[in-house]
Amino acid sequence: MAAPLETEQLERPPILVVDDDPTQRIMFKQVLQKAGHTVVDAPGGKEALELFAQHKPLLALVDAIMPEMDGFELSERLHSMEGGEELTILMATSLSDDADINHAFKAGAADFISKPINWTVLQGRVEHLLQSKLAEQQMRAAEQQMRQSQKMNAIGSLSSGIAHEFNNHLASIMGYTELLQEFLEQLGEERPQKYAAEVYKSAERARDLVSQMQQFSQSKPGELHQLESKPLVKESLKMLRSSLPSSISLHQQLDDELPPIMADPVQFQQLLTNLLLNARDAIEGKGQITIRMQAVSHTSQSCSSCHNNFSGEFLQLQVSDSGHGIPPEVLEKAFEPYYSTKPVGRGTGMGLSVVHGIMHEMGGHISVNSQSGEGANISLFFPINKKEAKESITMEQHEQMTGNTATARKILLVDDEVSITGYLGELLEMNDYEVTTSNDSQQALSLFLADPSAFDLVITDMTLPGLTGVELATAMMQLRPELPVVLCSGYIDEETKQALTESGIRESFNKPVDSRALLESVGKLLQAA
């Protein structure tokens, strides 16, 4: 298994010195080592090629005139090797004519220095070439980070748009299937009930996938609460243990004193689930998974997902496995949506991209330490902060708020999708509400203006042709400020939700709307009206 992540200062690669004159090599080494550089040296081209493959230096000081393989040929061969494009070559030569100097540049030398060597000039050129190479690498890394960020943002926007459109269709599929299940139950038709149940299960899986797309695009943020993480991890592992074969051993290493964090409890569980299932698949049926949790301070690392540096105090949740590890070429793409190394049908490629979205939404980061064949360690770093948490409700409190509170009250239902008004209208009528539906916002406003007291509550979609749901609600509430309005949309982020509340809209739901939650909210609003 790979060792746990540790922050360490990486040393610069050594400088490669190649010269067939042993006295000259000793002088090069002494001068460069005195200047603080690490040096490896070779008497000829063959040995130099072996040292380069082993150490991957950024700078090589190469003598031009050597037996068997001269500096010109060596330069060309070094540049043709894997990683050779990163190498800067400083040619040392006693040749002085223009043809030889041009030959050195054509062979790939970045600069040359004449023999006999001026050692002060040598130190200056070496330092200048190294600084230029390091600056070039930093610039390329920044450009790569920017391209990655732009790509993730673009895919996030695409995912958000797909999720929004798909939710409208999914809402009616799930809604009508739910109504069909109730109808078949009343008829006592067992076999059709099983068929309908399978349709609903598939729709639920589609809904979960859409939810993952929304979480990746950060269009559907969670509601943050102050969490005691240790009990949550223990409870989650109890539930998740059944998804692991008995041939996989699960170990917990949770520190006793752990600080609380600000997180959404459902999303926290989803993070742990994704990492645990990834570890299960990496082990391929037999091995060990270890869950570690500890508080870390003064850590300074680079995020494996967003590639930004981060430091400070964090709660570290680490999932380690004894599987086959993650090759570097796979790790580069691991957090991209829809990227998967699993066979078709065994993975959506959304797991780690969802982890990316949730963690960065909460201000956290991710670190991955893995080598092919040596297992993997994935660490989630949750920021420790002192924000005031929203009060959490217990399951008992939630159950007390549920129940059929419907009375013969009148509801105006507005959505441009006929299938959605059809399903929701029937759902509400089955619960003893009197429902008027409209698929046109202008028509809905006209119905309301004809008799502002005719409706006790309004349910409207946000995205409508003509008047938007917010504009429709605002126009209605100008005449009846106390009118309860429920707004539904493909996705509603936290900022939008807050703006809706401030505008007077009492409740808002993401599609597909949970029927029980909607009925509960409608009952509470009408009871309070």
Side-chain angles (χ1 to χ4, degrees), residues 69-80:
M69 185 188 304
D70 61 25
F72 306 110
E73 181 184 352
L74 175 59
S75 297
E76 292 175 348
R77 293 184 62 174
L78 285 170
H79 280 307
S80 67

Side-chain angles (χ1 to χ4, degrees), residues 37-59:
H37 301 288
T38 304
V39 180
V40 293
D41 65 295
K46 181 180 178 181
E47 295 84 356
L49 294 173
E50 293 175 354
L51 285 174
F52 177 81
Q54 180 181 354
H55 296 283
K56 291 294 189 296
L58 294 180
L59 178 69

Side-chain angles (χ1 to χ4, degrees), residues 123-165:
Q123 290 182 43
R125 289 193 179 176
V126 165
E127 196 60 41
H128 169 72
L129 290 172
L130 280 176
Q131 288 179 356
S132 298
K133 175 56 67 176
L134 292 172
E136 177 188 328
Q137 289 183 328
Q138 290 171 354
M139 183 178 296
R140 283 206 304 270
E143 290 174 352
Q144 182 180 2
Q145 180 179 330
M146 182 180 296
R147 286 195 298 270
Q148 179 73 5
S149 177
Q150 290 172 341
K151 179 169 65 174
M152 297 292 271
N153 288 338
I155 296 175
S157 298
L158 176 63
S159 298
S160 177
I162 293 173
H164 177 66
E165 290 299 320

Side-chain angles (χ1 to χ4, degrees), residues 255 257-259 293-297 313-317 381 384:
D255 283 2
E257 298 295 330
L258 293 173
M293 184 175 284
Q294 61 182 343
V296 294
S297 59
E313 296 183 0
F314 296 89
L315 180 70
Q316 180 184 12
L317 172 63
F381 291 86
I384 299 171

Side-chain angles (χ1 to χ4, degrees), residues 409-412 445 447-458 472-485 503-506 525-526 528-529:
R409 308 291 286 273
K410 296 179 180 181
I411 296 176
L412 176 59
L445 182 59
L447 287 171
F448 182 84
L449 294 176
D451 185 0
S453 62
F455 302 103
D456 299 300
L457 182 139
V458 175
L472 176 63
T474 301
M476 291 177 173
M477 288 186 294
Q478 285 178 348
L479 293 176
R480 282 185 57 193
E482 79 285 357
L483 177 69
V485 177
S503 70
I505 292 173
R506 306 290 184 87
L525 291 173
L526 289 174

Side-chain angles (χ1 to χ4, degrees), residues 156-409:
S157 298
L158 176 63
S159 298
S160 177
I162 293 173
H164 177 66
E165 290 299 320
F166 190 61
N167 265 332
N168 282 327
H169 302 294
L170 190 59
S172 60
I173 294 172
M174 295 184 70
Y176 277 114
T177 304
E178 193 172 6
L179 294 176
L180 178 61
Q181 286 177 297
E182 293 184 13
F183 179 69
L184 292 172
E185 186 176 354
Q186 293 174 5
L187 294 178
E189 298 287 346
E190 293 186 4
R191 181 172 291 182
Q193 281 185 61
K194 292 180 181 179
Y195 299 158
E198 289 301 317
V199 173
Y200 194 81
K201 286 180 183 178
S202 295
E204 284 185 313
R205 287 192 289 269
R207 177 200 61 196
D208 293 342
L209 180 57
V210 171
S211 177
Q212 289 181 332
M213 293 167 66
Q214 289 174 316
Q215 287 167 350
F216 163 72
S217 62
Q218 299 187 24
S219 62
K220 187 182 177 184
E223 190 168 314
L224 301 184
H225 300 270
Q226 184 165 295
L227 298 181
E228 296 295 337
S229 51
K230 187 173 181 178
L232 186 60
V233 170
K234 285 183 170 292
E235 289 300 316
S236 299
L237 291 178
K238 284 182 182 178
M239 292 185 292
L240 293 170
R241 188 63 184 91
S242 61
S243 66
L244 302 177
S246 58
S247 55
I248 293 179
S249 58
L250 186 62
H251 298 274
Q252 301 178 40
Q253 298 177 9
L254 311 179
D255 283 2
D256 292 331
E257 298 295 330
L258 293 173
I261 59 171
M262 294 295 294
D264 179 278
V266 175
Q267 290 185 343
F268 187 92
Q269 188 177 72
Q270 187 175 11
L271 291 169
L272 184 57
T273 300
N274 279 334
L275 295 188
L276 197 63
L277 295 183
N278 272 354
R280 177 200 65 184
D281 294 341
I283 289 175
E284 296 180 341
K286 187 175 182 180
Q288 177 176 306
I289 298 175
T290 303
I291 313 294
R292 298 182 180 91
M293 184 175 284
Q294 61 182 343
V296 294
S297 59
H298 308 298
T299 186
S300 180
Q301 301 195 38
S302 175
C303 180
S304 299
S305 172
C306 71
H307 305 294
N308 288 324
N309 294 327
F310 65 95
S311 60
E313 296 183 0
F314 296 89
L315 180 70
Q316 180 184 12
L317 172 63
Q318 184 183 81
V319 177
S320 306
D321 67 69
S322 58
H324 48 66
I326 307 174
E329 63 273 13
V330 173
L331 185 56
E332 288 180 4
K333 301 179 179 180
F335 293 96
E336 295 181 6
Y338 316 115
Y339 176 78
S340 176
T341 58
K342 299 175 185 177
V344 176
R346 287 190 56 191
T348 63
M350 290 297 295
L352 287 180
S353 66
V354 169
V355 172
H356 161 91
I358 293 176
M359 286 304 299
H360 289 85
E361 177 189 310
M362 292 191 293
H365 290 282
I366 310 164
S367 283
V368 181
N369 182 26
S370 179
Q371 294 182 9
S372 183
E374 297 184 13
N377 296 296
I378 300 182
S379 290
L380 306 183
F381 291 86
F382 298 89
I384 299 171
N385 56 56
K386 298 181 180 179
K387 284 185 180 179
E388 289 189 8
K390 296 182 180 180
E391 184 179 355
S392 300
I393 61 173
T394 64
M395 288 302 295
E396 290 76 15
Q397 291 172 324
H398 182 270
E399 290 172 358
Q400 289 173 6
M401 291 189 293
T402 61
N404 185 6
T405 58
T407 59
R409 308 291 286 273

Side-chain angles (χ1 to χ4, degrees), residues 104-119:
F105 287 129
K106 288 180 180 179
D111 200 354
F112 72 95
I113 186 168
S114 299
K115 291 183 176 181
I117 302 296
N118 182 316
W119 300 108

